[in-house]
Amino acid sequence: MKPEARYIVFHCADEYERHSMAAAGIMRASVDAFHPQTILAYSMNGRDLKVTHGAPLRLRVERQLGYKQAKYLAQAARVGKAWS
C-alpha cells in the first residue's frame, strides 16, 4: 500500500449508505483498519453470519466502542485524504 493511502473506505450494501455522508461509506484510518483487534467477520459462534448481523461480511473495529460498525460490506477502497 502506498504511504499516501492513509484511509480505508468501506462501502456497505444497505439503505443506510444511500442517506449517509455523500453515500461514500465508512472511513477508517489505516492504523485502525490494520489493527490486530479489527476484524472482517463472516461468521459468529462457529456459524455463518446471519443477515440480521450484517452478512455476508461485517466490519468490527473493537477500539471504536459505541461507534457505528459497518454491516453488509460490499467494497473497500484505499484513499489518500479524509473527507472534509
Side-chain angles (χ1 to χ4, degrees):
M1 181 165 55
K2 295 180 180 180
E4 61 269 15
R6 297 177 33 207
Y7 300 91
I8 309 292
V9 178
F10 295 96
H11 295 275
C12 304
D14 66 351
E15 290 292 323
Y16 185 82
E17 181 174 313
R18 294 187 190 133
H19 305 289
S20 65
M21 298 177 67
I26 297 163
M27 179 175 285
R28 298 285 186 202
S30 291
V31 66
D32 288 329
F34 291 105
H35 190 275
Q37 289 180 315
T38 298
I39 61 172
L40 291 174
Y42 59 87
S43 67
M44 184 171 72
N45 298 327
R47 297 181 181 197
D48 289 345
L49 199 60
K50 294 181 180 181
V51 172
T52 55
H53 293 288
L57 197 59
R58 180 177 183 165
L59 173 68
R60 295 289 306 172
V61 183
E62 299 303 323
R63 296 177 357 143
Q64 297 284 321
L65 295 177
Y67 194 78
K68 183 173 76 171
Q69 303 292 339
K71 294 181 179 181
Y72 321 111
L73 288 181
Q75 182 180 13
R78 295 175 287 182
V79 296
K81 58 183 178 177
W83 295 321
S84 50

